[in-house]
Amino acid sequence: MTTASVLIADVHPLIRAGMAALIESDGQFTLLGQAADGQQALEMCSRLQPDLLLMDLHMPGCDGVEAIGRIRAQHPEAKVIILSGHDGEEDADRSMRAGAHAYMPKSAPLDDLMLCIHAVLQGKKFMMPDLAVKLASRIHGNQLTPRERDILRHLATGMSNKVIARAAGIGVGTVKFHVKSIMSKLNVCTRTEAAMVAAKRGLVHLN
């Protein structure tokens, strides 16, 4: 039986160890190695050329979205599954647009991860159903403009309209207009709610 070669890239040692144990327990896979950051993942992928890369979205050195493009350029046949601690549709959308074959929240059951791996190796795209529904809803409008995304990032840190205006180089009235539009598109009533919804959807990442 031909086995598929797998490379794991994740910043957390325990998660790497867990995924390695899962992969090694299945006789259909060969684990090639583990990378602890984005740059190491790129180097190992170029050298080892795995069939499948299980990669954390947020890593130092080179984040998952940037790495996807570089990996696919060097190794077009490689299949990439993004694993993320966030289940927001924004990160999923960025990952899939960059060329990932699947996006899986780290909170997903192990059975679903194995289902995802087998589907991707068969040439299919994969995403959890609830996340797919969220992504589909983006097609029907309510997407933030680049300017609104920029203002939302400032808003989420607690900046006032006046401070946002200085940071963005626009007038306070313009900021108020954009904030109103953001809140309408996110279907929230307060700035705090906007920040919370934005973080949940992956539009911003709060420390």
Side-chain angles (χ1 to χ4, degrees):
M1 180 184 295
T2 302
T3 61
S5 58
V6 180
L7 177 66
I8 294 169
D10 196 288
V11 70
H12 299 104
L14 287 177
I15 292 179
R16 290 200 305 273
M19 287 193 294
L22 183 68
I23 293 300
E24 291 179 323
S25 70
D26 191 310
Q28 299 182 60
F29 306 119
T30 299
L31 181 61
L32 297 181
Q34 302 177 39
D37 59 49
Q39 195 58 46
Q40 188 178 23
L42 290 170
E43 186 276 327
M44 292 181 70
C45 195
S46 177
R47 175 164 51 86
L48 301 173
Q49 297 197 348
D51 297 315
L52 177 69
L53 175 62
L54 296 172
M55 184 165 59
D56 189 3
L57 180 61
H58 301 290
M59 292 187 295
C62 177
D63 75 9
V65 172
E66 179 185 354
I68 293 168
R70 294 171 63 178
I71 288 168
R72 296 298 305 281
Q74 296 175 3
H75 187 22
E77 299 303 314
K79 293 178 171 59
V80 181
I81 296 176
I82 287 292
L83 302 170
S84 176
H86 304 277
D87 60 359
E89 70 271 23
E90 181 66 21
D91 283 339
D93 184 53
R94 289 174 59 233
S95 298
M96 300 302 279
R97 286 179 183 274
H101 296 77
Y103 180 95
M104 289 289 293
K106 291 181 180 180
S107 59
L110 292 179
D111 287 347
D112 286 338
L113 176 58
M114 293 306 296
L115 183 65
C116 172
I117 290 172
H118 285 288
V120 167
L121 286 172
Q122 292 170 12
K124 302 174 183 177
K125 298 280 187 175
F126 188 94
M127 188 173 295
M128 298 298 284
D130 58 339
L131 195 50
V133 170
K134 291 179 182 178
L135 269 182
S137 68
R138 294 165 62 97
I139 300 173
H140 304 291
N142 289 342
Q143 293 193 49
L144 300 181
T145 66
R147 172 63 82 181
E148 287 170 346
R149 290 170 183 266
D150 183 48
I151 288 175
L152 179 58
R153 283 190 287 269
H154 292 309
L155 183 153
T157 65
M159 286 185 181
S160 67
N161 287 345
K162 185 178 293 186
V163 176
I164 293 175
R166 285 201 299 267
I170 56 179
V172 174
T174 302
V175 172
K176 290 180 179 179
F177 173 82
H178 286 307
V179 169
K180 183 177 180 180
S181 176
I182 290 167
M183 292 171 67
S184 174
K185 289 180 178 181
L186 297 183
N187 194 29
V188 298
C189 298
T190 68
R191 298 164 76 96
T192 300
E193 284 183 289
M196 293 174 62
V197 170
K200 184 176 182 180
R201 288 178 51 181
L203 293 164
V204 299
H205 296 290
L206 305 176
N207 294 325

